[in-house]
Amino acid sequence: MRSRQRIGLVALVAVTLAAVIASIGAGASSASLPRFLAGLISGGAQGGVEALRDRIVIVDIRLPRALLGLMAGAGLAVSGAVMQGLFRNPLADPGVVGVSAGASFGAVGSIVLGPTLLAPLAYVLGPFLLPVAAFVGGLAVTILLYAIASRDGETQVATLLIAGIAIGALAMAGTGLFVYMAEDLQLRDISFWNLGSLAGATWDKALIATAVIAPCLVVLPFLARGLNAFTLGEAAAMHMGVPVERLKKASIFLVAAMTGVAVAFCGVIGFVGIIVPHILRLAVGPDHRFLLPASALLGGVLLIAADIVSRVIVAPAELPIGILTAIMGAPFFLWILFRGRRGQIL
């Protein structure tokens, strides 16, 4: 089994590299990756205006977009895997249980209140205000959800799902209030969150997302043993020597950080955290030592692939990624529920 899992990880690394290359070469523009590489090899002596255009499109637009998609997809997928392990239910997901809605509430609030009520923070944090606000919103919802769904050291699955729906609806109502208060220019920015997109990717955003998500992805595998023990219940995990409360707090913090940053820069992109971990559990098993890194890779591939489709399916326009992930994820979610009705989950 371990050999198969390692082979699967190597295959996912190869697929991830292929997806990044495909993302760099895809789009409505006629920019050519081979021509760009030839220009690099020749030191810019060939190609003229076309080589300059290729460099701008590939280096300044497509590369940061691919990096942001890779990081956001990895963060959302791993967040789903961690929450499912923590709550011991494959339906747990930052989007389904309202964490993404909380992060969006924080991000939209920073857009509307940034010039007025949050002006001092905007002055201090500058471009970091939006991701910080998204992080705080996602963290607040995560802590509240965990407090509601836990009783006597046990997580109530039904309470988790119902509370997640309610908290998510409340956060979306708050977002709607901010939309009502917003000015025309702010409304254009807020519309970004409603559907999700990588169109606004820049090197600054991609590097900030990488600076937050990449360390989380490095730390999370160290929690794999504890998450594996959680499958037997919190009491059993405690008897096995797992620091249960510390694991909960670390997991909540890391999930909020990754989800908050992903929502801050890409908008609300649902179902990635459900689709990816569930597929991998069927393929490589529930061992979080392999599930977490595999989720990071496949999540990045899924979001990059969705972004490629969004760029070419209605070119030269772009279809929002959130629409594509919903088209893929909603039927998959229903399939999980139908399996649950046969007693295989819940």
Side-chain angles (χ1 to χ4, degrees), residues 25-195:
S29 170
S30 59
S32 169
L33 182 58
R35 188 169 56 215
F36 169 72
L37 295 176
L40 286 181
I41 295 173
S42 65
Q46 299 178 358
V49 176
E50 288 186 345
L52 178 61
R53 183 199 61 191
D54 292 347
R55 187 194 68 80
I56 293 174
V57 171
I58 292 175
V59 175
D60 296 334
I61 298 177
R62 292 182 183 173
L63 268 175
R65 186 168 183 153
L67 178 59
L68 181 59
L70 180 64
M71 287 292 104
L76 292 172
V78 173
S79 294
V82 170
M83 292 196 71
Q84 290 163 21
L86 192 64
F87 292 114
R88 302 189 298 281
N89 188 277
L91 298 181
D93 165 76
V96 173
V97 298
V99 179
S100 295
S104 180
F105 172 77
V108 173
S110 71
I111 294 174
V112 177
L113 302 179
T116 55
L117 187 62
L118 299 180
L121 281 177
Y123 177 78
V124 174
L125 296 176
F128 292 94
L129 174 63
L130 193 146
V132 168
F135 166 72
V136 172
L139 178 63
V141 169
T142 305
I143 293 174
L144 180 59
L145 175 66
Y146 186 82
I148 293 174
S150 298
R151 176 182 294 180
D152 299 327
E154 293 292 332
T155 301
Q156 306 296 321
V157 174
T159 305
L160 161 70
L161 297 178
I162 295 173
I165 293 172
I167 294 172
L170 185 61
M172 292 307 297
T175 301
L177 178 61
F178 283 135
V179 170
Y180 177 79
M181 297 167 53
E183 300 175 356
D184 290 343
L185 183 60
Q186 293 172 337
L187 286 174
R188 295 183 59 185
D189 293 334
I190 291 173
S191 64
F192 169 79
W193 310 109
N194 293 331
L195 298 175

Side-chain angles (χ1 to χ4, degrees), residues 75-87 92-95 97 99-100 103 134-135 138-139 141-143 145 212-213 216-217 220 223 227 247-263 292:
L76 292 172
V78 173
S79 294
V82 170
M83 292 196 71
Q84 290 163 21
L86 192 64
F87 292 114
D93 165 76
V97 298
V99 179
S100 295
F135 166 72
L139 178 63
V141 169
T142 305
I143 293 174
L145 175 66
V212 175
I213 295 176
C216 295
L217 297 178
L220 277 168
L223 306 182
L227 291 173
L247 177 65
K248 292 177 183 178
K249 293 177 182 178
S251 299
I252 288 173
F253 178 84
L254 294 171
V255 166
M258 293 188 295
T259 303
V261 171
V263 172
L292 294 179

